[in-house]
Amino acid sequence: MRKYISPVFVAMLVASFVLWYIAKLNYTYTTDKTVQVNVDGEEFEVVCVIEGLGTNLFSRMVYMRNSLRIPLSELDYAPSPDEEGYIVIDPQSLQNAISVHYSDVKVVAVRNIPPIKLPVEE
């Protein structure tokens, strides 16, 4: 089998794959990314639909692992109609707050925002 596969062919195949992959990273893509958010001590996960160049998305997938700290004062919210003592965060205000932290990609939408406990002011 070894005499049928040329080492030059394998090297050229690998080189062409690497060049194709680099070229594909310059395209614009849209994907879902789970982001950990901390709002005044209450941590939860939301699904963000993000859009950007492949290179930016690739690097963002690595750096979006940290929890974002967003103060409640930067968000619009309303009391939860289902649970007393909980609030529902406005998706648009959360999307804007997340977008500020990730300026190299566009946050298109935010989904699955759970109701959180209303922080007690001391």
Side-chain angles (χ1 to χ4, degrees):
M1 183 75 173
R2 184 170 169 86
K3 61 182 169 179
Y4 295 114
I5 299 175
S6 168
V8 174
F9 172 75
V10 173
M12 290 299 170
L13 183 65
V14 169
S16 66
F17 175 77
V18 168
L19 291 173
W20 170 81
Y21 192 73
I22 290 170
K24 284 293 186 180
L25 286 177
N26 287 327
Y27 291 7
T28 300
Y29 296 99
T30 303
T31 187
D32 291 352
K33 177 65 180 155
T34 302
V35 177
Q36 186 82 13
V37 179
N38 181 334
V39 176
D40 289 348
E42 290 290 325
E43 289 198 14
F44 56 94
E45 290 183 344
V46 294
V47 177
C48 294
V49 180
I50 56 175
E51 180 181 277
L53 289 178
T55 52
N56 293 342
L57 290 177
F58 188 74
S59 66
R60 209 26 75 198
M61 293 298 176
V62 174
Y63 295 116
M64 279 181 121
R65 298 191 190 281
N66 299 339
S67 179
L68 288 179
R69 293 183 189 269
I70 301 173
L72 187 61
S73 60
E74 292 182 7
L75 301 172
D76 296 333
Y77 58 92
S80 174
D82 301 328
E83 301 176 70
E84 188 174 321
Y86 282 77
I87 58 172
V88 178
I89 298 173
D90 178 49
Q92 187 66 41
S93 70
L94 185 59
Q95 177 182 337
N96 292 339
I98 292 173
S99 295
V100 169
H101 292 278
Y102 302 125
S103 59
D104 56 344
V105 294
K106 180 181 179 185
V107 180
V108 179
V110 177
R111 298 190 300 240
N112 302 339
I113 305 171
I116 63 170
K117 283 187 178 182
L118 182 63
V120 179
E121 295 181 20
E122 297 177 6

